[in-house]
Structure formats: structure tokens, C-alpha cells
Amino acid sequence: MAQASETSVVATAMPGCCLGTVTVHSEHHVFWVVQGAATVLADGRVFHLGALDALWLPGGAAVDHVSTDPGTVALTVLLPAADFPDTVDGVVHRKISPELSILLVHLFGRWLMPAWDGEKLTDGMATVLREAFFGGRAGIVDQPRMPVSTAAVMVARKLFSDPGDPRSREQWAVDVGLSERHLTRLFRTETGLSLSSWRSALRVAAAAEQVASGKPIGQIAHDLGYSGTAALSHAFRRQTGTTLSEVCRVGERTAVLQEKLNSLDLDLLIPADRLRPNINESHVCIGVLRGSCRAVLRGRQIDLPAGNLLWLPAGVWHQLEAAPGTVLLPVGALSVTFPMDRRNMEPIPVAETDYPSLLYRACVNYTRLKPYPMIEGVMDDLIPQVVRLRAAHAGKRRNPVTEIITGDLSVQRTLRDWAEQFGMRTEVLSRLFEAATGQPYRDWIVDRRMTVARRLLENPDRQVAEVASAVGYGSSAAFVRAFKDRVGMTPGSYQRRYRKREIFEVVE
């Protein structure tokens, strides 16, 4: 990531975030921590994640809870199940490389901005992800299932934090206000294991992970509460049927794979791409974190090297062209009522030290992982000074261009109709509109309808006739002709290719 040479944005505060509703996906997805720490309860297990820790969450896995510490940046991205047919059924916890984290940020941006010409996930990217989460890791032992009752969960979480905790079953029972028999029955009912067996399984799983990472066996045995390496080896073989030596060999293979993942060539993995023409309904701020991008407007181009932001004002036709290796994502948005137009489209340089702040904003603005209490005005410091001054003096004056941009597309209106509504001459309104958007109204309205139509078609449940009516076409045939002329494919083909799901799907 390149260092910006000029001004820096003011880094926003980053309170801890929480996802409090149960979520389940039909697709796989990856949740990872860029910096900081997070706790995830998924598929009945608790995972404590630090920087560059990642979870592979297979389709159908329930995510019951996610919480992050203050200052944490954590993101998630969906991955098509069809591209990973041979993955394991359970949640996979891995440490990832900084380069792989950048690749995942790229994929996160693609999920938020789906209408790129190229594939969101290429074969090369899928291969890297398979290797990172499933390559060279055979023999690593899964952690035992998490209990669900309050008292048992309290014990389990403490043992997850310190598997070597020496407290006896009786002491644990006293700590949570239960009898030893009651606590043991809870563990057996909810996990299939007694408390003693559950703790042994947890220690063995922790030992496997630590051995594979290269930690000395003697130190592992001591930390986990075993009397020595022989006792640890005996317990490990009894519970897994394999030896610590085999896990050491797994660790050696993992080290070779990790070296490969640490030297990913992102310029080769991330191809050049082009975003289809858009006219946004709100002001959207995008950031180039790596590589370079060009914003193509009507009669103008803006080059954006890494370390720059750009506001894409509502109502302005634009395309984005990304060079190989470019990582770009939307950071946040502002209401169209804010006084911003194409004349405010200038690069805003940011420092590399501000990248975590930008990722944090993208997360809280576009996913269901939210801070509590919610932050207000987290985009204010990214607004150009001249726009802030205009906003401070705008008051409640009526802006005809804003009203046109936010108008109901299902209602057919000419520019003359709008001019009569505002009590203006059509020629005056035409000049105002073209200065703000860069297009004559007759061209703009078609492009705007196509942008909205594409967004509606990303919902697989929307019918073509329904979309045609929503964007102001009296017949499906006329809509199909206009869409194919502007987009280059039929609405049905577009819907099949660009189907989009939410980052988190809520289970009510």
C-alpha cells in the first residue's frame, strides 16, 4: 500500500462492534480480523481471534454472536459454494498472511460493488483460498463443541482462554453455583462429553495447533497442565489415534505453504477490471488502497493512485477502470440532499496509517456488524472543505437538481415538466442540470433508469416486468430493448450473472 504524500483524513474513533442476531448463509464466507481482536460464537464453538486470524464459515453454519474490541477492524466476505465443492463441514480457524488479508479486502469491495465486468472470484483466487484454509493442515484436531447453558458456557469460555487451568470439577461447580453432578450433566447433555473429557479434548486440540505452529512440546505440555511430554503424547494418541510427530510434520508442510502465501503476487491474482456505468442515488466515497484506478466521466477522466479517495456525487454518470492488482472499496455514503456535484470530484489523499479507519467505516456502513452506541457523522471528516462550507450556508433552499435526482422513476417526466413544477425556464434548468451531472437530461434519465434496473435485478426474486415498471417503462419489451442497448445483455442474463446476497443474512 502506497504512502500518501499530502494531507491525511482525520482517523475516526473505532468503538467495539457487535452482531447480535443469529445469521446463516447458504454460501461459504470468511470472517477475519485485520487488526485488534474479536470473539465469534459459530457452529456451537467460541473462537477468540487476533490480528490476521480468520474463520472459514461453511454454508449452513450458524453464527450466533460476533463482538470486537475497541480499535478492531474485522471484515467478512461471501464466497460461492460452487467454487469450493470439497471443503470440510465445520468451521476452520486459520492465521492468514498480510497479502491474503489484502486479497480478501479486494473481494469484500467486489461484493459491495458487484457490477464489474470480470469475475468477482477468479480461479487463481479460489486456489489460494483453498490452500490457505485447507492445504497442508490434515491432522489438526478440532475443538470440542461449545455448550449452550449459561453456567456451562462460563466454564467453557474460561477454559478456552486458558486450557491449562488446574481447577477441579468441584471448584468449577462452586464457581458457577452448581453441584458437581449438575455441571457434569450439563456438559454431557450439551456437548456429548463430561466436563473432564471436554477439557481433555480442548487441551489436545490446543496442543495440536501449538505443535503445528512450531512451539516446543515441553513448553506446550507445561502450559496445558500435563506432568510432562510423555503424559501429553499419551493423551494425544489416546484421543486422536495419531502422534505429535505427525502433527510436527503437518507443521513443516504448513510452514512451506505459509511462505508461499506470504509472497502472493497480487498484481497477477487481481486482474484489471471495469465497473459498469453507474449513476448513484447517494454520494458515495471510494478509496483506492492498492494499485490505481481511473474514474471516467462525461468529458473528463480522474486518475486515482493508491492512497486516494474520491467522492462520486449522486446523479453523476461514471465508470471505474481498475489496473491489475488494484484494491478498491466504497467507504461510505452521504444523502443526496448534501450540496455535492461533479465539480467537487477531486482526489483526496490519505495516509497509509488511515487505512484501518477507512476499512472500519466500510464495515460499519455496509455490513450488520455495528458499533454500540452508533457513531454519527463518521463521514464528515472526508468531505471537502468547500462542500462543508456550502452545506453550512445552504439552509432549506430548494435545489431542483436534487429533486430531479431523487424523483420517482416510475413516473414519466420531461425536463419541461420539471421546469414547470419549479417555475423555471426549461433552458435555465437544463444548464443547471448539465453543470451538476455532466449530461443532458434526456441522456441522464435513461442511464439513471438502467442503473436502478441493474440494482433491482441483483435481487433474484425480482421479475423483469416488475423492474421495467419500477423504472418507468410501460412494457417489458421496451425495457428489454433499452437495457440490452445500454448494458450489452438482456435483463435475465444480467440477473443470473450479478445475483447479489447480503453480507449477513438475518435469521428471524
Side-chain angles (χ1 to χ4, degrees):
M1 296 183 180
Q3 175 74 35
S5 59
E6 298 183 21
T7 59
S8 167
V9 302
V10 179
T12 185
M14 296 190 288
C17 294
C18 182
L19 174 75
T21 50
V22 178
T23 62
V24 180
H25 294 293
S26 58
E27 305 281 24
H28 307 309
H29 68 287
V30 172
F31 175 87
W32 82 105
V33 176
V34 178
Q35 71 172 35
T39 299
V40 178
L41 174 57
D43 207 22
R45 298 163 60 192
V46 173
F47 300 90
H48 299 289
L49 309 181
L52 297 180
D53 277 339
L55 295 180
W56 178 280
L57 298 153
V63 179
D64 296 273
H65 176 78
V66 178
S67 60
T68 67
D69 291 351
T72 295
V73 177
L75 301 171
T76 187
V77 62
L78 290 173
L79 301 170
D83 290 307
F84 301 92
D86 302 322
T87 56
V88 300
D89 292 332
V91 178
V92 177
H93 179 190
R94 297 289 181 260
K95 181 72 74 173
I96 62 174
S97 67
E99 288 77 10
L100 183 55
S101 178
I102 296 171
L103 178 62
L104 288 170
V105 171
H106 164 75
L107 290 173
F108 174 67
R110 284 298 189 266
W111 278 110
L112 298 182
M113 304 171 67
W116 292 83
D117 281 342
E119 296 295 329
K120 288 191 286 289
L121 181 72
T122 66
D123 290 342
M125 295 176 193
T127 297
V128 166
L129 290 170
R130 281 193 292 269
E131 289 180 340
F133 286 94
F134 309 106
R137 303 291 295 194
I140 301 301
V141 182
D142 286 333
Q143 295 173 338
R145 178 171 290 277
M146 189 74 176
V148 294
S149 59
T150 302
V153 167
M154 288 175 61
V155 174
R157 286 182 173 173
K158 290 179 181 179
L159 284 171
F160 265 110
S161 299
D162 180 13
D165 192 309
R167 276 176 280 189
S168 66
R169 288 176 300 178
E170 182 180 5
Q171 290 172 319
W172 283 117
V174 170
D175 285 348
V176 295
L178 298 177
S179 69
E180 182 181 346
R181 183 177 179 183
H182 189 184
L183 181 60
T184 298
R185 186 168 63 249
L186 285 178
F187 265 86
R188 189 177 296 280
T189 301
E190 296 171 6
T191 71
L193 300 171
S194 67
L195 173 56
S196 297
S197 297
W198 190 92
R199 179 168 59 181
S200 295
L202 178 65
R203 287 177 172 176
V204 165
E209 191 72 26
Q210 293 176 31
V211 167
S213 69
K215 187 175 180 178
I217 295 178
Q219 184 64 48
I220 295 171
H222 177 269
D223 292 345
L224 294 179
Y226 291 95
S227 59
T229 56
L232 171 57
S233 298
H234 178 72
F236 193 89
R237 187 175 188 110
R238 184 179 69 249
Q239 290 196 42
T240 67
T242 188
T243 66
L244 288 170
S245 297
E246 173 57 27
V247 177
C248 286
R249 288 191 286 272
V250 170
E252 292 169 0
R253 295 195 296 270
T254 301
V256 173
L257 176 59
Q258 192 63 39
E259 185 177 350
K260 176 182 177 181
L261 294 174
N262 283 336
S263 57
L264 294 176
D265 189 336
L266 296 178
D267 289 337
L268 290 178
L269 273 177
I270 303 175
D273 208 348
R274 183 181 64 177
L275 184 72
R276 292 181 174 276
N278 273 278
I279 297 178
N280 296 327
E281 55 193 15
S282 59
H283 308 309
V284 176
C285 183
I286 61 169
V288 183
L289 305 186
R290 188 184 188 279
S292 62
C293 178
R294 171 174 294 170
V296 180
L297 313 178
R298 296 296 189 188
R300 183 185 175 197
Q301 295 184 349
I302 303 173
D303 290 324
L304 292 169
N308 279 271
L309 305 176
L310 181 69
W311 280 100
L312 302 172
V316 175
W317 183 100
H318 63 274
Q319 283 185 291
L320 299 177
E321 297 176 349
T326 296
V327 177
L328 178 151
L329 79 162
V331 176
L334 286 173
S335 167
V336 67
T337 57
F338 211 89
M340 188 183 302
D341 58 40
R342 75 192 304 267
R343 289 164 291 192
N344 304 116
M345 296 181 68
E346 296 293 341
I348 303 172
V350 297
E352 187 174 349
T353 52
D354 288 317
Y355 286 0
S357 173
L358 300 179
L359 293 175
Y360 180 89
R361 298 173 205 235
C363 174
V364 301
N365 285 327
Y366 294 109
T367 79
R368 295 185 183 274
L369 192 62
K370 302 294 186 185
Y372 183 82
M374 282 296 294
I375 307 170
E376 298 294 337
V378 295
M379 300 302 295
D380 289 353
D381 57 317
L382 303 185
I383 303 170
Q385 179 66 23
V386 63
V387 176
R388 287 201 293 270
L389 292 174
R390 286 172 58 203
H393 296 90
K396 297 184 180 298
R397 288 179 298 176
R398 194 179 189 190
N399 187 331
V401 175
T402 296
E403 293 198 29
I404 294 173
I405 290 172
T406 57
D408 185 353
L409 290 177
S410 66
V411 179
Q412 292 278 1
R413 285 177 177 166
T414 66
L415 192 63
R416 177 173 293 180
D417 295 331
W418 283 109
E420 290 177 356
Q421 178 175 323
F422 300 130
M424 301 174 65
R425 292 169 51 203
T426 304
E427 296 80 4
V428 173
L429 181 57
S430 178
R431 287 196 298 272
L432 286 174
F433 187 85
E434 191 164 349
T437 67
Q439 283 183 281
Y441 177 80
R442 63 180 180 276
D443 295 331
W444 178 91
I445 191 63
V446 177
D447 286 328
R448 175 70 184 131
R449 285 174 176 148
M450 293 303 105
T451 298
V452 173
R454 292 203 316 270
R455 177 174 55 79
L456 295 176
L457 288 167
E458 288 162 11
N459 181 344
D461 297 326
R462 298 298 290 262
Q463 301 297 314
V464 171
E466 179 186 2
V467 174
S469 176
V471 296
Y473 285 87
S475 72
S476 295
F479 169 64
V480 170
R481 285 195 300 271
F483 191 92
K484 189 173 182 180
D485 178 63
R486 272 301 204 271
V487 181
M489 62 180 74
T490 65
S493 297
Y494 186 91
Q495 189 170 46
R496 287 189 293 272
R497 178 172 180 180
Y498 290 101
R499 179 184 181 187
K500 183 183 179 183
R501 292 179 175 87
E502 281 190 283
I503 291 295
F504 283 115
E505 296 168 353
V506 179
V507 177
E508 302 293 349

